[in-house]
């Protein structure tokens, strides 16, 4: 199948990375979000990513600002995805937001088009149930920053067909991404485990056992991780981490997923991590 145009729903933290990756690899995008302001700031972030590619990657294609601009249509109208050959959804991690959107996408997109659900924890089978094309819905848990991460966790929902998986793998071959295909379960592999790390790190900080810098240092210097759990939470966005923990808690009814009060307090205070310049750590230059 030839991918002429990809719909990207949600141009936030991860949506910006998705659009960056698509335009870098020559694909045209229709980017949908709820306001022109959000779309304008997403476009600026994509252009900045494209500009920084030579500094950050030896292998990613280099494209000009004009090429990037030509490959992005920005819109607040969901109907504009009707021309798309594949849709990647990255809206807020909230079932109350995703459910009505999937119902609407199902009405607008051509019947043969597949939907890639980029969620941190919500069940792909549940998402697929909001459409009449459940065999064509597949989970794609892209990592942040999307254009710099070569591997994706792919999730087969209960009804996801082999044809849908093959279509997605074809798209990933254009993006030069490798897929690790797993079964559907809340949080999949990555977030079911990593959110326990991040949440417990917040409890350790709350209990005054160590500073945020020390907690991250232990993971980086003793375990050899590239980033510590609190830095990772800041990169994901603390609001998204809290929502994901809430989904895990509701899904498993297991107290090990109860969200640390300090984490929730930072979200209420507007300290969402890198995207607001402050979370567990401060990011004055971003
Ligand atoms: N942040 C990460 O590292 C990460 C990684 C993998 C997956 N995800 C998942 O990707 C999704 C988005 O996460 P994020 O961190 O980018 O969140 P975000 O809050 O930064 O962005 C979400 C965007 O969705 C938009 N939106 C909300 N309702 C919409 C609608 N009806 N139509 C179009 N746009 C709409 C919002 O305006 C916002 O711009 C979530 O499901 C999250 O779990 C995030």
């Amino acid at each position: 199948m030839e991918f002429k145009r990809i719909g990207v729903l949600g141009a936030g933290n991860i949506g910006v990375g998705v659009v960056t990756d698509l335009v870098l690899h020559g694909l045209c995008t229709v980017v949908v979000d709820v306001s022109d302001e959000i779309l304008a700031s997403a476009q600026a972030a994509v252009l900045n990513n494209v500009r920084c590619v030579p500094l950050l990657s030896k292998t990613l294609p280099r494209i000009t600002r004009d090429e990037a601009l030509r490959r992005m249509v920005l819109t607040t109208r969901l109907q504009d995805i009707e021309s798309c050959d594949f849709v990647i959804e990255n809206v807020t991690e909230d079932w109350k937001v995703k459910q009505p959107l999937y119902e609407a996408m199902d009405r607008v997109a051509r019947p043969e088009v597949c939907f890639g659900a980029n969620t941190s924890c919500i069940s792909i089978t549940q998402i697929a149930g909001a459409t009449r094309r459940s065999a064509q819905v597949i989970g794609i848990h892209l990592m942040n920053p999307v254009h710099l991460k070569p591997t994706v966790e792919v999730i087969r929902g209960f009804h996801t067909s082999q044809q849908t998986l093959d279509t997605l793998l074809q798209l990933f071959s254009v993006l030069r991404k490798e897929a690790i295909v797993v079964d559907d379960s809340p949080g999949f592999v990555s977030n079911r485990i990593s959110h326990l790390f991040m949440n417990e790190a917040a409890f350790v900080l709350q209990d005054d056992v160590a500073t945020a810098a020390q907690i991250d240092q232990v993971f980086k210097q003793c375990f050899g991780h590239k980033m510590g759990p609190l830095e990772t939470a800041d990169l994901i966005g603390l609001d998204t981490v809290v929502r994901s923990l809430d989904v895990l808690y509701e899904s498993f009814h297991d107290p090990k997923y109860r969200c640390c009060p300090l984490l929730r307090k930072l979200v209420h205070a507007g300290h969402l991590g890198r995207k607001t310049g402050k979370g567990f750590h401060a990011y004055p230059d971003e």
Side-chain angles (χ1 to χ4, degrees):
M1 140 167 218
E2 198 190 343
F3 299 102
K4 291 210 185 85
R5 205 167 285 123
I6 309 292
V8 180
L9 306 187
N13 203 1
I14 205 85
V16 163
V18 172
V19 177
T20 304
D21 208 20
L22 292 167
V23 299
L24 282 173
H25 289 92
L27 293 164
C28 291
T29 59
V30 176
V31 187
V32 186
D33 209 303
V34 294
S35 79
D36 291 332
E37 293 72 31
I38 294 174
L39 288 165
S41 112
Q43 187 178 55
V46 171
L47 293 176
N48 189 46
N49 284 345
V50 165
R51 190 175 58 81
C52 293
V53 159
L55 303 172
L56 299 175
S57 166
K58 290 197 175 82
T59 51
L60 276 173
R62 274 74 171 134
I63 63 167
T64 64
R65 180 188 155 85
D66 282 350
E67 282 171 317
L69 282 171
R70 272 201 299 277
R71 293 174 192 162
M72 279 184 268
V73 171
L74 308 177
T75 177
T76 53
R77 288 162 28 101
L78 184 65
Q79 301 92 290
D80 293 340
I81 65 161
E82 72 188 339
S83 62
C84 293
D85 308 303
F86 194 98
V87 177
I88 302 177
E89 171 276 312
N90 325 267
V91 306
T92 315
E93 182 74 353
D94 184 340
W95 178 238
K96 290 195 225 64
V97 176
K98 294 209 194 257
Q99 182 183 22
L101 182 66
Y102 273 89
E103 288 167 0
M105 283 157 68
D106 194 34
R107 288 192 294 273
V108 173
R110 294 197 313 269
E112 72 278 14
V113 168
C114 297
F115 297 160
N118 187 9
T119 166
S120 297
C121 288
I122 299 174
S123 152
I124 303 307
T125 308
Q126 182 181 4
I127 290 175
T131 72
R132 288 159 302 166
R133 60 179 88 193
S134 39
Q136 290 158 243
V137 179
I138 190 160
I140 44 176
H141 183 216
L142 291 151
M143 308 293 153
N144 199 3
V146 177
H147 59 297
L148 299 174
K149 297 286 173 148
T151 309
V152 187
E153 187 180 27
V154 167
I155 305 104
R156 267 179 192 273
F158 187 87
H159 293 291
T160 307
S161 68
Q162 184 60 40
Q163 199 182 342
T164 300
L165 177 59
D166 291 343
T167 303
L168 178 65
L169 295 182
Q170 221 182 318
L171 176 61
F172 282 171
S173 74
V174 177
L175 301 177
R176 298 179 182 279
K177 287 209 187 306
E178 190 186 334
I180 300 173
V181 183
V182 304
D183 268 338
D184 191 19
S185 175
F188 327 120
V189 173
S190 56
N191 283 338
R192 182 167 168 181
I193 299 169
S194 66
H195 278 61
L196 285 175
F197 265 43
M198 290 183 270
N199 198 34
E200 202 56 33
F203 274 114
V204 169
L205 182 66
Q206 183 180 269
D207 292 349
D208 274 335
V209 178
T211 65
Q214 286 174 317
I215 293 167
D216 283 334
Q217 239 177 334
V218 169
F219 276 73
K220 288 190 286 189
Q221 291 172 223
C222 303
F223 292 164
H225 290 195
K226 276 202 183 141
M227 295 175 77
L230 299 176
E231 286 170 310
T232 306
D234 278 351
L235 177 66
I236 294 171
L238 302 192
D239 50 343
T240 299
V241 172
V242 166
R243 284 200 198 95
S244 300
L245 280 164
D246 288 345
V247 172
L248 287 166
Y249 184 77
E250 279 160 29
S251 305
F252 291 110
H253 288 287
D254 187 328
K256 73 184 173 190
Y257 291 111
R258 82 262 176 253
C259 178
C260 170
L262 173 63
L263 191 42
R264 210 180 286 279
K265 187 160 141 188
L266 287 172
V267 171
H268 289 154
H271 290 188
L272 307 184
R274 280 178 181 248
K275 61 184 168 185
T276 58
K278 207 165 188 333
F280 289 110
H281 301 280
Y283 305 89
D285 301 329
E286 292 186 15

